[in-house]
Amino acid sequence: MNLPNKITLFRVILVPVFVVLMIWGNGIIPHNNIVSCVVFCIACISDFFDGYLARKWQLVTNFGKFMDPLADKLLVCAALIIFVELKYMPAWAVVIIISREFIVSGIRLIAADNGTVIAANMLGKLKTNAQMFMAIFMILNIDNPVFVVIKTVLFWASIILTVVSLVEYTYSNRKLFLESK
């Protein structure tokens, strides 16, 4: 268990902390949205550091290749489900985003069954970043017109990148469907 993998696990641990703050902290913790946003941002920043350190120190592991994207999915999906509960986001959008994550995870499982580990690609990372920035604006929930426009642009960018990255991911790994055991 190297440092980058520990950072990834730290991000997983922050997910329930974030959920509790968002759902039960409202009205109990002063400036709950800011505290929740700080926890979410720490989790997002840890995503950068675990990958950076793993590459820099040549500590890339199959565990990290699998758990890093899974930790991202847990964080983003938890936030999205909370946004539906709080009526910040429509359920159809969350269904699209979470469905993509399940499909990609399924492709990764097929690849693992064939002895291949698929690392996250650049388009998937861009999609994750768009979703994380969108989440930050949703968590803060500021009604300023500029914030609303940015939140809307990030929402649609997240949806489009989700669909495009799924198509690209499926297409680039299509041989797995033909060659699977």
Side-chain angles (χ1 to χ4, degrees), residues 10-154:
F10 173 69
R11 186 162 64 258
V12 171
I13 292 167
L14 285 179
V15 173
V17 173
F18 167 73
V19 169
V20 166
L21 286 169
M22 282 295 292
I23 293 180
W24 292 303
N26 197 15
I28 297 170
I29 299 170
H31 306 291
N32 178 60
N33 59 336
I34 294 171
V35 175
S36 299
C37 191
V38 167
V39 170
F40 186 84
C41 288
I42 289 169
C44 292
I45 291 166
S46 77
D47 180 37
F48 167 77
F49 280 110
D50 62 8
Y52 173 78
L53 294 175
R55 287 184 299 275
K56 180 177 176 155
W57 294 343
Q58 298 178 346
L59 296 173
V60 175
T61 63
N62 284 344
F63 176 86
K65 287 180 186 176
F66 179 76
M67 281 305 296
D68 179 64
L70 184 60
D72 296 340
K73 288 175 175 83
L74 287 171
L75 179 64
V76 171
C77 289
L80 295 174
I81 292 166
I82 289 168
F83 297 156
V84 171
E85 172 76 16
L86 298 175
K87 299 187 182 352
Y88 292 178
M89 191 173 190
W92 65 263
V94 174
V95 169
I96 289 171
I97 293 170
I98 291 177
S99 295
R100 184 257 185 216
E101 302 309 333
F102 275 109
I103 292 167
V104 168
S105 293
I107 293 170
R108 282 199 168 114
L109 286 174
I110 292 169
D113 189 47
N114 289 321
T116 305
V117 175
I118 303 172
N121 64 21
M122 191 53 68
L123 193 54
K125 290 178 182 183
L126 184 62
K127 177 260 326 163
T128 299
N129 285 324
Q131 290 173 353
M132 287 179 173
F133 280 108
M134 173 196 66
I136 289 167
F137 279 83
M138 295 233 177
I139 294 164
L140 292 174
N141 196 27
I142 297 172
D143 285 333
N144 177 299
V146 174
F147 271 71
V148 171
V149 168
I150 293 170
K151 185 168 49 173
T152 303
V153 168
L154 288 169

